Amino acid sequence: MTEILLVASLGLFLALLVAFLYVLRRAAGVVAATREEEAFRQGGAGVADRAAAAIVEGAARIDRVRRRQDAPTELDEVIPALAERLAGLRDEAAVLDAPASLALLRERLMAEIERAGRAVEAVEHGCLLLGMTAGRPREMEGETSVKRGYLNLLHAREALVALAVDLRSGRVGASRWFTDRLRAG
């Protein structure tokens, strides 16, 4: 009888040991996945914050040209530097390793930085047209291009700020409180 109890207790001990190792292995996998997700979220939010800050710096100078307080030549150094900085941040965002659950946020991050880059190109185009002496139609087209580029920069900045909030929370739409409300109807 004691031998049966000894074998049974040894078998129970082995079963508990296997169960414990299985749970430990699963927990380690969850911790690793969480670390990977957290690293992406912090890295992506950092890129979004730096892109928004770069846009704010450039947009302030572009706004002065838009309001005709400065000449378009004042942006000769600002535009290439901003375009280069945004391209570098887009490359940095492309390198981020996003888990499958957050791949959409990575794509949004890259798209918004590209949008800001296109806005900078529109401002550059407008400044070139404003620098020409080809007459009123070119001047109007240049002003419109600068204004549109400036507004697109502002929209990209707002989208990047909201995206940084989404990245920090780990879910899409976190920055918009009204998305959690139930629909009436």
Side-chain angles (χ1 to χ4, degrees):
M1 183 73 167
T2 58
E3 296 163 356
I4 295 175
L5 284 173
L6 182 64
V7 170
S9 61
L10 185 59
L12 184 60
F13 174 74
L14 289 176
L16 285 174
L17 182 64
V18 168
F20 176 74
L21 291 176
Y22 176 76
V23 168
L24 188 63
R25 183 174 170 213
R26 296 282 294 178
V30 168
V31 168
T34 302
R35 282 186 185 156
E36 177 185 358
E37 184 177 301
E38 184 65 26
F40 167 74
R41 288 178 24 208
Q42 285 190 0
V47 169
D49 289 340
R50 288 193 309 270
I55 290 170
V56 167
E57 292 171 14
R61 299 283 303 273
I62 292 168
D63 189 39
R64 292 190 55 81
V65 171
R66 181 181 72 90
R67 294 176 183 267
R68 297 286 191 160
Q69 294 171 341
D70 287 341
T73 56
E74 293 291 320
L75 297 179
D76 286 347
E77 295 174 6
V78 174
I79 296 291
L82 181 57
E84 184 178 324
R85 192 165 175 195
L86 289 172
L89 289 169
R90 191 216 174 277
D91 292 342
E92 192 176 331
V95 172
L96 290 174
D97 187 26
S101 61
L102 298 177
L104 175 65
L105 293 177
R106 181 175 156 257
E107 296 304 317
R108 279 185 46 205
L109 176 62
M110 290 174 31
E112 291 303 332
I113 294 173
E114 287 174 359
R115 176 183 179 186
R118 289 190 306 272
V120 169
E121 291 172 3
V123 171
E124 183 178 31
H125 174 72
C127 288
L128 289 174
L129 291 177
L130 288 175
M132 294 179 169
T133 56
R136 183 79 177 138
R138 286 299 222 186
E139 184 178 338
M140 288 176 57
E141 182 182 346
E143 288 176 357
T144 302
S145 185
V146 169
K147 288 177 184 178
R148 283 185 178 166
Y150 172 74
L151 289 175
N152 281 335
L153 267 176
L154 293 182
H155 290 287
R157 181 187 62 84
E158 290 300 319
L160 284 165
V161 168
L163 185 59
V165 172
D166 290 349
L167 283 164
R168 285 187 180 90
S169 72
R171 65 184 182 90
V172 177
S175 63
R176 291 158 297 284
W177 61 270
F178 52 86
T179 59
D180 292 336
R181 293 169 54 192
L182 295 174
R183 289 186 182 244

